[in-house]
Amino acid sequence: APAKTEDFASPIPAGVYAETVLSVTHYTDRLFRFTMTRPQGFRFRSGEFAMIGLMIDGKPIFRAYSIASPAWAEELEFFSIKVPDGPLTSHLQAIKPGDQVLMRKKPTGTLVLDALTPGRRLYMFSTGTGIAPFASLIRDPETYEKYEQVILTHTTRDVAELKYGFDLVEEIKNDELLQEVVGDKLRHYATVTREDFDYQGRITDLISSGKLFTDLGVPPLDPAIDRGMICGSSAMLKDTKDLLEKAGLNEGANSKPAEFVIERAFVG
Ligand code: A2P
């Protein structure tokens, strides 16, 4: 595509890739997904995040975004909130295929398989766009090589906000190669907090009451078997972390693997 006038007015900053938007899907007035080209030589581990940005009034504005596509994918996928007056998302929500998006060259993050000690069952607890790093990990064969069972929980305000997660699980079921690795190891537990639905309530309440485990037909959290990853708002992270610690799981990091890891769901 021909370069736009702005491209000349705002040169790409150093240490930054400029990639092309391939697709944009709007789910609700608060949520959208987009894909873009993956730079040659850009490597990341499934579950990591990158700094994504746009040139706005001649200045690059960046925010952290979990990469929602798996490490093997040809394209990069992101799942984003639309913050009405957000310095980045108020502009990012208007992108169209062919537009240019910036990405800093170095990905990072703690929601990686390497930050956990070996276990049998992996829980991924997410709220809102916090599902994004897990969208990456549930499409990575390594997740299923390391765990006998993978339980993805996703809690949103209303049913429309769950659609990204349902589409994702459907995509996995329809992907012959991936399905061979995933088999029946993946469970998707979706709940809402502000509307009627089959499953309702905050994940923290569902853990506390034990309803999560009875619904899934699995035993309560056990540090010998269960591992956890948490991604959501600050309050959700804190409350979920407290419950995992109460069950005897310890927080780990890249440098010191343990039974669970945490990442903020980024907005702005
Ligand atoms: P609630 O509707 O009770 O606030 P948001 O879209 O605001 O990020 O919220 C996503 C989901 O996270 C909502 O279902 C919300 O429930 C839930 N949530 C908010 N705070 C917490 C918390 N401290 N612990 C667990 N879930 C939370």
Side-chain angles (χ1 to χ4, degrees):
K4 292 183 221 147
T5 331
E6 307 93 89
D7 296 343
F8 297 107
S10 328
I12 306 307
V16 172
Y17 296 112
E19 296 304 308
T20 305
V21 175
L22 297 170
S23 70
V24 183
T25 311
H26 292 272
Y27 290 94
T28 66
D29 57 2
R30 292 212 309 148
L31 296 172
F32 72 109
R33 162 197 186 273
F34 67 95
T35 60
M36 66 183 200
T37 51
R38 178 174 180 163
Q40 283 281 334
F42 175 73
R43 302 202 49 187
F44 70 99
R45 293 182 292 173
S46 294
E48 285 189 315
F49 66 86
M51 300 303 292
I52 292 293
L54 289 175
M55 296 299 292
I56 295 159
D57 299 330
K59 263 181 40 196
I61 307 271
F62 287 96
R63 288 290 180 272
Y65 272 90
S66 289
I67 304 170
S69 41
W72 54 261
E74 239 172 81
E75 298 173 1
L76 297 178
E77 176 184 330
F78 301 92
F79 185 45
S80 178
I81 193 140
K82 306 173 192 177
V83 181
D85 297 311
L88 178 64
T89 64
S90 61
H91 298 275
L92 194 63
Q93 65 178 280
I95 55 169
K96 299 267 181 304
D99 286 352
Q100 181 182 274
V101 170
L102 306 179
M103 181 174 70
R104 286 203 200 283
K105 292 194 172 174
K106 238 190 108 40
T108 183
T110 51
L111 295 184
V112 291
L113 295 169
D114 290 345
L116 295 173
T117 50
R120 302 233 302 265
R121 186 183 298 118
L122 176 59
Y123 283 94
M124 301 171 171
F125 299 107
S126 68
T127 54
T129 56
I131 193 175
F134 306 138
S136 174
L137 283 158
I138 64 169
R139 288 181 280 183
D140 191 328
E142 195 185 339
T143 303
Y144 305 94
E145 285 159 20
K146 292 198 159 159
Y147 293 93
E148 291 167 21
Q149 198 171 39
V150 177
I151 296 169
L152 168 65
T153 84
H154 189 206
T155 303
T156 57
R157 295 181 186 185
D158 53 44
V159 177
E161 294 186 338
L162 291 175
K163 185 168 176 9
Y164 175 79
F166 282 118
D167 285 356
L168 192 67
V169 170
E170 198 56 31
E171 179 199 310
I172 293 172
K173 279 191 188 133
N174 293 328
D175 183 317
E176 238 176 87
L177 281 178
L178 209 47
Q179 190 48 46
E180 210 166 288
V181 185
V182 178
D184 55 8
K185 286 183 169 184
L186 177 64
R187 305 278 302 273
H188 178 209
Y189 187 85
T191 80
V192 296
T193 48
R194 304 191 190 183
E195 205 175 47
D196 267 348
F197 189 58
D198 303 356
Y199 296 94
Q200 277 176 273
R202 288 188 172 191
I203 193 60
T204 42
D205 294 334
L206 294 161
I207 295 171
S208 299
S209 68
K211 187 171 188 303
L212 171 68
F213 311 108
T214 41
D215 282 349
L216 290 167
V218 298
L221 290 173
D222 176 351
I225 290 170
D226 295 318
R227 298 294 170 262
M229 291 181 162
I230 319 173
C231 192
S233 63
S234 307
M236 178 272 192
L237 293 185
K238 189 191 175 301
D239 294 349
T240 312
K241 170 188 154 96
D242 288 349
L243 289 168
L244 296 197
E245 285 176 343
K246 215 172 109 191
L249 283 73
N250 300 300
E251 185 177 355
N254 274 294
S255 54
K256 190 177 171 289
E259 288 90 39
F260 75 91
V261 281
I262 283 181
E263 198 99 83
R264 274 197 87 235
F266 311 95
V267 292

